[in-house]
Every structure is written in structure tokens, then in C-alpha cells.
Amino acid sequence: MVTTGERRTPHKAPGQVPHEAPAQVQREDRLFAALANGTRREVLRLLRDEGPQPVQALADHFAMRRPSLSEHLKVLRDAGLVSEERAGRQRIYRLEAVPLAEVQEWLTPYERFWRDRLKGLGDLLDRMPDAERPVG
């Protein structure tokens, strides 16, 4: 049976990656799920650009109640993308970029794939006479 472009084999559970431990797969799933939301990506951008911030400073950037933002921060914490530190009555959030290296590592083969494909297209266009090249 084929679903979502993935061929399932009888010896592995649906969604299980053959060469990765289940804990690794779960960590990647949490990481990609955290990054799938625009609000969470904006929180990461704010922490990257403006440095560590208390919850209220982050909340000021969004048209949502603070408990809703706290839920987003929890997802980011669970994925290892932010850390939380108490400073008196405030909670200060800091970007933890190390998990993003895992995303980059995961994307690298796809970058190579597209680079090779585009190089092949460039080579083909270089071999075509000018009269046969597509315009525009």
C-alpha cells in the first residue's frame, strides 16, 4: 500500500524510519511540528534578532492572550528550541539554536538534489541553440 508518497513494508510500522531509533524520530517530529507554526517561527525570529526576552515582551508582539503564547513557548521548549530561566517573577526565554542544526542536516540532501537538478537544466540550456531556447 502506498500513502503520501511513502512505500510501506511489512517489517516496519507506518511512519517509522528504518535507520533511526524511535527516540530520534520522536525528537525530529517535535522539532518539525514546532517549526510548522508561524507564531512559533516568529518567536524564534524575535529571540534571534532581539536576544533573550521575558514572556511579556514577547507577548507584546502578538494579538493573543498570554496563556496562548505560553502554549507556543511550551511547544518550543519541548522541542529544545528555547530555554526558560526565572529572574525574580519573570520568565526569560532564550533561543537554543542547536536543534536547528538537525533541521539543516535533514535538509542537506534535498539541497544537493535541487542543486544537481538545476545544474542539469543549466547544462541542457547551454547545449541548446539560441533559436530553441524558451523565451521569458
Side-chain angles (χ1 to χ4, degrees), residues 43-99:
V43 168
L44 294 176
R45 187 197 65 75
L46 289 166
L47 294 173
R48 180 197 67 204
D49 293 350
E50 299 175 15
Q53 297 181 47
V55 176
Q56 189 56 54
L58 290 168
D60 290 344
H61 292 277
F62 300 96
M64 68 175 65
R65 296 177 156 262
R66 207 167 133 179
S68 297
L69 180 61
S70 292
E71 284 298 315
H72 287 293
L73 291 167
K74 180 184 182 320
V75 171
L76 291 169
R77 254 192 346 266
D78 291 347
L81 290 164
V82 299
S83 60
E84 172 189 25
E85 178 184 324
R86 287 188 184 265
R89 292 176 42 194
Q90 293 187 344
R91 293 173 189 236
I92 308 296
Y93 283 86
R94 174 184 318 278
L95 173 66
E96 298 295 338
V98 171

Side-chain angles (χ1 to χ4, degrees), residues 121-134:
L121 177 61
D123 292 345
L124 174 66
L125 289 173
D126 287 344
R127 290 191 307 267
M128 290 177 70
D130 286 340
E132 293 181 19
R133 287 186 184 210

